Amino acid sequence: MSKLLGKYRLLFQIFALLAAVRTAAQVPVDTLPRIGPIPQPPGRQDTVPPLSGDSAVVDLSGIRISDEGLDEEVEYGAQDSMWFDVQNKQVHLYGNASVKYTSLTIKAGYILLDWDKSEISAAPLADSTGRLAGYPDFQDGQQNFTAERLRYNFKSRKGVIYEARTKQEDLYVLGQKAKFIGAGDTGDTTQRSRNTIYNQDAIITSCDHPDPHFGIRTKKLKVIPDKLVVTGLSLLEVGGVPMPLVLPFGFFPITKTRKAGLIIPRDFEFADAEGFGLRDFGWYQPISDHMDLSVLFLAYTSGSWGVTASSRYNKRYAYNGNFLMSFNNRVREDNFANKISAKSFRVTWTHNQDAKAHPTKRFGGSVNIETNRDQNRNFNDYQSVYRNTLTSNLTYSQSFPGKPFQLAASLNHSQNTQTRVMDITLPNVNFTMQRIFPLKRKEAVGKERWYEKISLTYASKFQNKFSTVDTLLFTRKTLEGARLGMQHTASTDFTFKIFKYINVAPRVDYEENWYPYVIEKQLRDTILYVYDTIRDGDTYFLQVDSAQTRFGLDTTVRDWGFYRYGRYNTGISLNTALFFTQQFKRGWFRGFRHTMKPTISTGFGPDFSKPPYSGYYRSVITDLRPEYRDTVTYNIFDDAIFGRPPGGTTRRDIIMNYSLLNVLEFKHYSAKKDTVLKKRIFDGLAFNGSYNFTADSLKWSEISTGGLFRFFKGIVNLTWNARFDPYLADANGRRVNTFVLDKRKKLVRTTALGFQLNTVFTVKQLRNAFAGKDDDASGTPQQGPSARPTVKDDLLGWFNDFRVNYSISFDRRLIPEGFGEARDTFVIGRHNISFSGSIPLTSKWSVMIGNISYDFQSKQLVYPDLGFARDLHCWQLSLSWQPVRGTYLFTINVKPGSFDFLKIPYRKNNFDAGL
């Protein structure tokens, strides 16, 4: 093909220039003749002799170029053959023919170039079997379509297309006959700057099948690429059958760039409790190149309404995130026709900063706050209904290069959706200084001196915390009850060795707390009665029970100002490490190593309940009557966010804390890999306890321990904890000052033992673990019909994306039966299993399980969430059912896209179910 181009390009340029000398009038598109039978090339007499050499020089300087000549060079070629009809000034191209002129490219089995009329015609070409192939493909810039045949005029930039098929975004436009008007010179404002297509007897659809399963049929249709599709009087057609849905006109935006405009409702609903309603209609507004905003509404004839504002933003190499705020007011009638309103509010925000955005500053996190159980009221899926805890964490952090400082500020939030109690900390500011050695010489010469090992750490934090129920979040009472303060901590220590292997670290700690208030407890002269009320007409008589009458009302008030207290202590710790190793040269088991890291520490601090610190404590009377008067002592910092000064006891205890950390590893020979591998049996198994030097009895505390074991490459986690007591217990379970070793000849007795087995895995992960394969899946199955898994050959393959969550916990409890005797009892605290995922029955059918849980203790299913889906090519059928709530949703709808508002929903929501 390239050789033909080289030989004939110059000749065609001469023909084009000769044709351009003539004054060629523009030929209207409608007068262009149809393509008749494709002419067959004649014999060898029309063969053009080859040019002499690879190039030739022709002097065209004397030729006057017509103003109506073509602007650019026309490139053309064919894979089979080309026939130059000099008499009719035409070129016939056969077999994979192509023509390129400026931004226009046409490919077809057969192409006719008529340079006298500046016209091109294209049609398919029959192959040796008589089957047509090489249907015309037209491309002008970003505009592309296929057709059975077409004609196009270079000068007028107009053409006629028969049986055209073009794609605009996710829409397919098919027309029996179309007129194409190309874009003019954009530099001239009088010319068109966009291609335009006028279709006759057309259908617009999102179905990519050659015979669309549905669409909007119209007699007239106009397509402005990358902008708009406009239809005249049209009707909906499904399966080739016209539906009784007539549209007087239609506008379908197909812009690649974002444009502001109305959002058409995607769901028309009817609910028994709320009546007719519209959902998800509103306005879309691009804010900038990196951010947009959508405002959606829902409304029912019962008076229920809601509004949701959501925004997305994304700036490459900087940040991305989304924000959503919604308010819902669901109204229904009770049995007495009284209106019942349930208002709820929800805010979610997710922000992620790109790792390349800034080397020292980071900002990100998530916010998830709701009131009045918003998700539970408005959604029926398992996660929304059974999600009991909401958390938020939004953090800004900054480091200072070359300096040991770091700053972090955050918003922290936790919320229990069952009790509706929430705790919010805003702000939570932390400033820390890493460990430094202030006495260390900048240029050390010789051996390190002892005082150079003295280290210093510092940290400060400011917190403001609210604790309230969700419905009182924005009230004045919540703001007045905030607990806030600032804390500074500093610590210095010095590490040295004794006996070569024991590390000794004496330390001094100081803590300074600043608060804007202290509390004052008062007994006000208000009589508080415990009484019964007896109504007699409009008069109330109070019967007083004198045995429970109390004179005075306890009141706690805040005394605002600046208040501080400091506390300090000193201590010392010792630690070392012991290694026990045994190795073997033969066999599968090649050895083990047991590492033990014992640590002991103790500390001492003053009693802050005695002078000069006794000002932290005050007293208040309990009754206004002298004969019943008594006093109680309280600390003025009892309501402080960082706690109060220690003290108030009759004895200062000196306690030694101890711990023993264990790590056990072993080696084994792998014949498969022909090498020795090392694995850990347990890591971080610790035993902790204390000894009280100043106690007169029960000096030893209980010994606590616990650990975590992982099996099957971390799929199964076993957590356990236990407590041991060196002392016996009486019949009531209270410790007595008698060692177990003296009575039972054992070191300790077991007082508590608990195990928790948790596993979350997919069937594919478990199969890979048993087969010894690496798992490349994330472990999170895809949900929904749009992410349906493929059909598997084996039965277990159906469940590859099935997610299993199993949990069990049980504790050992000792029930006292006599002095020093107890009966062991194991109590199961939690035992349940849940499944979720999709089962692909066929390539089109799948069963979806949002959740199905079973509680072994209550012996019942926990909120099954079931459904199925059927792929109908461009349509989909689905059913979701929540039998506990009695809610369901059956839908036949077009797949997501420009026509996804075409749906037939049938539902029963939680309001219809009486929830």
Side-chain angles (χ1 to χ4, degrees):
M1 179 176 175
S2 60
K3 291 183 178 180
L4 290 174
L5 286 172
K7 291 180 178 179
Y8 299 127
R9 180 175 296 170
L10 179 61
L11 182 60
F12 181 74
Q13 289 176 340
I14 296 174
F15 288 150
L17 290 172
L18 291 174
V21 172
R22 301 174 57 217
T23 303
Q26 293 188 357
V27 181
V29 175
D30 295 336
T31 62
L32 293 177
R34 292 177 177 267
I35 299 177
I38 299 176
Q40 299 298 321
R44 296 180 57 88
Q45 67 272 11
D46 67 308
T47 303
V48 180
L51 298 174
S52 59
D54 294 336
S55 62
V57 178
V58 180
D59 186 10
L60 303 176
S61 59
I63 300 177
R64 184 173 61 87
I65 305 300
S66 172
D67 295 336
E68 298 182 359
L70 298 180
D71 298 330
E72 299 289 342
E73 180 184 55
V74 178
E75 297 182 8
Y76 63 95
Q79 184 175 0
D80 187 358
S81 59
M82 293 189 296
W83 169 34
F84 287 85
D85 188 349
V86 180
Q87 182 179 357
N88 296 319
K89 299 179 181 179
Q90 296 177 341
V91 178
H92 302 267
L93 308 175
Y94 299 92
N96 290 336
S98 64
V99 174
K100 183 177 181 181
Y101 173 69
T102 61
S103 62
L104 173 69
T105 301
I106 298 178
K107 298 179 181 180
Y110 166 76
I111 295 179
L112 169 64
L113 281 172
D114 191 328
W115 64 82
D116 186 42
K117 299 178 180 179
S118 299
E119 179 183 319
I120 182 172
S121 302
L125 185 67
D127 57 14
S128 59
T129 63
R131 184 175 62 88
L132 293 178
Y135 283 90
D137 180 84
F138 182 97
Q139 183 172 352
D140 188 3
Q142 299 296 324
Q143 177 64 40
N144 180 271
F145 55 79
T146 58
E148 285 194 358
R149 61 185 188 277
L150 62 84
R151 290 174 294 131
Y152 181 76
N153 189 280
F154 290 109
K155 292 183 177 179
S156 64
R157 298 179 180 268
K158 297 179 180 180
V160 176
I161 310 153
Y162 299 92
E163 301 296 335
R165 181 185 182 93
T166 181
K167 183 179 181 182
Q168 304 290 337
E169 294 299 309
D170 66 331
L171 297 180
Y172 294 89
V173 180
L174 292 78
Q176 293 184 1
K177 181 180 179 181
K179 180 168 67 173
F180 176 82
I181 302 177
D185 184 3
T186 58
D188 185 355
T189 58
T190 62
Q191 299 290 330
R192 299 180 182 90
S193 59
R194 289 180 181 267
N195 297 329
T196 306
I197 303 175
Y198 295 91
N199 274 277
Q200 180 181 341
D201 295 329
I203 185 173
I204 179 172
T205 179
S206 60
C207 179
D208 60 355
H209 195 271
D211 297 317
H213 298 127
F214 80 97
I216 294 181
R217 177 74 65 178
T218 181
K219 287 292 184 181
K220 296 180 179 180
L221 182 145
K222 178 180 180 181
V223 179
I224 304 177
D226 300 332
K227 185 178 181 181
L228 188 68
V229 176
V230 183
T231 65
L233 183 66
S234 54
L235 53 83
L236 177 65
E237 185 178 283
V238 178
V241 179
M243 296 287 103
L245 177 60
V246 179
L247 302 176
F249 57 88
F251 295 91
F252 300 90
I254 54 174
T255 56
K256 293 184 178 180
T257 58
R258 300 168 299 166
K259 298 292 184 180
L262 291 172
I263 299 177
I264 305 299
R266 296 185 179 275
D267 206 350
F268 298 85
E269 298 183 357
F270 175 77
D272 293 337
E274 295 182 299
F276 289 96
L278 296 178
R279 179 182 291 272
D280 294 342
F281 66 95
W283 183 266
Y284 175 80
Q285 180 65 52
I287 298 176
S288 68
D289 293 339
H290 308 288
M291 189 175 186
D292 64 1
L293 174 67
S294 298
V295 181
L296 301 177
F297 299 89
L298 65 88
Y300 291 87
T301 55
S302 67
S304 295
W305 63 278
V307 58
T308 300
S310 61
S311 177
R312 300 171 300 173
Y313 55 90
N314 188 354
K315 188 173 183 179
R316 184 176 296 181
Y317 307 122
Y319 52 79
N320 66 83
N322 57 79
F323 177 83
L324 182 144
M325 181 171 59
S326 69
F327 177 82
N328 290 283
N329 181 24
R330 308 304 290 262
V331 179
R332 64 175 180 175
E333 293 184 353
D334 60 12
N335 296 331
F336 301 98
N338 296 318
K339 295 286 186 179
I340 300 176
S341 175
K343 298 180 176 66
S344 58
F345 177 77
R346 178 162 59 104
V347 174
T348 63
W349 181 24
T350 301
H351 181 87
N352 301 299
Q353 178 177 314
D354 193 278
K356 303 176 182 178
H358 200 281
T360 61
K361 299 179 181 179
R362 293 199 62 83
F363 177 71
S366 63
V367 176
N368 191 357
I369 300 176
E370 69 176 40
T371 64
N372 206 12
R373 304 177 67 187
D374 180 82
Q375 294 186 72
N376 184 286
R377 289 180 178 275
N378 297 284
F379 302 97
N380 293 314
D381 61 285
Y382 173 77
Q383 294 296 331
S384 298
V385 174
Y386 270 80
R387 187 175 185 178
N388 297 327
T389 303
L390 300 177
T391 58
S392 304
N393 190 0
L394 197 63
T395 304
Y396 168 83
S397 62
Q398 180 177 355
S399 59
F400 302 88
K403 298 179 181 180
F405 305 115
Q406 187 168 7
L407 175 67
S410 65
L411 159 67
N412 307 105
H413 153 259
S414 64
Q415 180 178 354
N416 189 307
T417 59
Q418 299 297 319
T419 63
R420 297 168 60 177
V421 174
M422 61 169 56
D423 296 316
I424 300 178
T425 303
L426 176 67
N428 183 9
V429 183
N430 292 271
F431 179 80
T432 59
M433 181 184 73
Q434 299 176 356
R435 185 179 299 273
I436 63 172
F437 297 88
L439 302 181
K440 197 174 187 66
R441 292 171 293 175
K442 294 183 179 180
E443 296 181 1
V445 178
K447 188 177 180 180
E448 185 181 31
R449 300 172 184 176
W450 68 269
Y451 56 81
E452 293 184 275
K453 298 180 181 180
I454 298 176
S455 65
L456 175 66
T457 59
Y458 169 79
S460 65
K461 58 183 177 181
F462 172 79
Q463 291 184 1
N464 182 34
K465 187 174 183 179
F466 306 90
S467 183
T468 184
V469 294
D470 54 14
T471 54
L472 300 178
L473 177 60
F474 302 104
T475 62
R476 180 177 179 180
K477 182 179 179 181
T478 299
L479 298 177
E480 291 177 347
R483 301 166 61 210
L484 65 158
M486 188 170 187
Q487 183 182 81
H488 309 267
T489 58
S491 177
T492 180
D493 62 10
F494 166 62
T495 303
F496 61 92
K497 291 181 179 293
I498 60 174
F499 305 115
K500 192 176 180 179
Y501 299 107
I502 300 177
N503 300 312
V504 181
R507 74 179 193 282
V508 176
D509 302 324
Y510 181 77
E511 179 183 304
E512 176 83 8
N513 295 275
W514 296 346
Y515 297 107
Y517 64 88
V518 293
I519 65 170
E520 180 181 356
K521 293 188 177 182
Q522 302 173 353
L523 187 66
R524 295 185 177 178
D525 55 351
T526 302
I527 300 177
L528 178 65
Y529 296 99
V530 179
Y531 57 87
D532 294 328
T533 303
I534 302 177
R535 182 166 184 172
D536 183 11
D538 294 332
T539 306
Y540 288 85
F541 298 94
L542 303 180
Q543 284 189 338
V544 181
D545 186 353
S546 60
Q548 298 187 23
T549 302
R550 183 161 173 254
F551 287 79
L553 179 63
D554 287 333
T555 305
T556 300
V557 296
R558 289 184 175 182
D559 186 7
W560 293 91
F562 176 77
Y563 300 90
R564 59 155 300 276
Y565 79 83
R567 59 180 177 181
Y568 54 89
N569 63 74
T570 183
I572 187 171
S573 64
L574 294 85
N575 66 82
T576 188
L578 305 175
F579 301 92
F580 303 91
T581 305
Q582 180 65 48
Q583 297 186 3
F584 305 97
K585 296 183 179 180
R586 297 181 179 180
W588 179 84
F589 186 70
R590 292 300 177 91
F592 70 91
R593 183 173 70 174
H594 182 196
T595 304
M596 301 175 62
K597 298 180 179 180
T599 301
I600 60 173
S601 63
T602 186
F604 176 80
D607 186 354
F608 288 88
S609 65
K610 297 181 179 180
Y613 314 104
S614 56
Y616 300 150
Y617 292 87
R618 297 177 185 176
S619 299
V620 62
I621 60 175
T622 58
D623 201 300
L624 295 176
R625 296 170 295 178
E627 63 272 20
Y628 295 102
R629 182 170 299 176
D630 196 3
T631 59
V632 294
T633 302
Y634 67 95
N635 194 298
I636 61 175
F637 295 103
D638 278 340
D639 194 36
I641 190 172
F642 300 120
R644 65 178 194 175
T649 61
T650 58
R651 182 187 66 222
R652 288 180 298 175
D653 292 330
I654 300 178
I655 300 175
M656 179 188 69
N657 300 302
Y658 62 87
S659 67
L660 181 62
L661 183 67
N662 296 266
V663 178
L664 182 61
E665 303 169 294
F666 76 96
K667 293 182 179 181
H668 69 92
Y669 176 74
S670 174
K672 183 178 180 180
K673 297 183 179 180
D674 192 24
T675 186
V676 176
L677 302 178
K678 182 174 67 173
K679 292 186 177 181
R680 288 191 175 185
I681 300 178
F682 53 78
D683 184 8
L685 176 61
F687 295 87
N688 303 286
S690 63
Y691 181 82
N692 193 332
F693 290 98
T694 56
D696 54 1
S697 62
L698 303 176
K699 294 179 178 291
W700 294 95
S701 71
E702 286 188 333
I703 303 170
S704 63
T705 185
L708 172 65
F709 296 97
R710 300 180 184 272
F711 306 97
F712 305 112
K713 297 182 179 180
I715 294 179
V716 179
N717 297 323
L718 176 63
T719 306
W720 65 279
N721 57 81
R723 292 199 311 271
F724 307 99
D725 198 336
Y727 297 101
L728 293 175
D730 60 15
N732 296 320
R734 292 176 299 187
R735 305 174 74 199
V736 296
N737 197 31
T738 303
F739 286 105
V740 177
L741 183 63
D742 296 336
K743 292 290 184 179
R744 301 182 181 177
K745 306 303 179 183
K746 296 190 301 183
L747 288 177
V748 294
R749 64 182 178 91
T750 304
T751 59
L753 178 63
F755 295 91
Q756 293 183 1
L757 180 66
N758 295 279
T759 177
V760 179
F761 63 90
T762 62
V763 175
K764 181 179 180 181
Q765 284 180 305
L766 191 62
R767 295 178 70 185
N768 290 342
F770 280 110
K773 299 179 181 179
D774 293 332
D775 179 44
D776 55 355
S778 62
T780 303
Q782 294 178 317
Q783 301 282 345
S786 61
R788 206 166 3 260
T790 57
V791 181
K792 307 298 180 182
D793 296 331
D794 58 330
L795 180 60
L796 283 178
W798 278 13
F799 300 91
N800 272 350
D801 296 321
F802 227 60
R803 186 182 182 93
V804 182
N805 190 336
Y806 177 76
S807 177
I808 183 173
S809 66
F810 53 91
D811 300 317
R812 180 195 181 196
R813 297 181 183 177
L814 301 177
I815 301 178
E817 293 184 339
F819 184 80
E821 299 294 335
R823 176 170 55 89
D824 286 347
T825 302
F826 282 91
V827 179
I828 297 178
R830 180 180 68 254
H831 191 195
N832 56 65
I833 188 171
S834 65
F835 305 90
S836 62
S838 299
I839 303 175
L841 301 179
T842 67
S843 60
K844 301 295 184 181
W845 283 96
S846 66
V847 175
M848 298 174 295
I849 299 180
N851 172 77
I852 182 168
S853 304
Y854 183 77
D855 192 318
F856 291 93
Q857 290 183 286
S858 61
K859 297 181 181 180
Q860 64 181 4
L861 292 174
V862 179
Y863 201 81
D865 185 3
L866 312 173
F868 68 85
R870 174 67 163 90
D871 189 345
L872 301 172
H873 188 255
C874 52
W875 290 71
Q876 61 187 10
L877 177 149
S878 63
L879 169 68
S880 63
W881 175 45
Q882 299 80 30
V884 173
R885 282 194 163 190
T887 57
Y888 56 82
L889 172 61
F890 177 79
T891 306
I892 301 177
N893 63 286
V894 175
K895 287 184 177 179
S898 297
F899 283 96
D900 58 2
F901 61 88
L902 296 175
K903 61 174 63 176
I904 305 175
Y906 184 74
R907 74 182 72 218
K908 184 178 183 181
N909 60 29
N910 52 350
F911 285 86
D912 293 331
L915 300 176

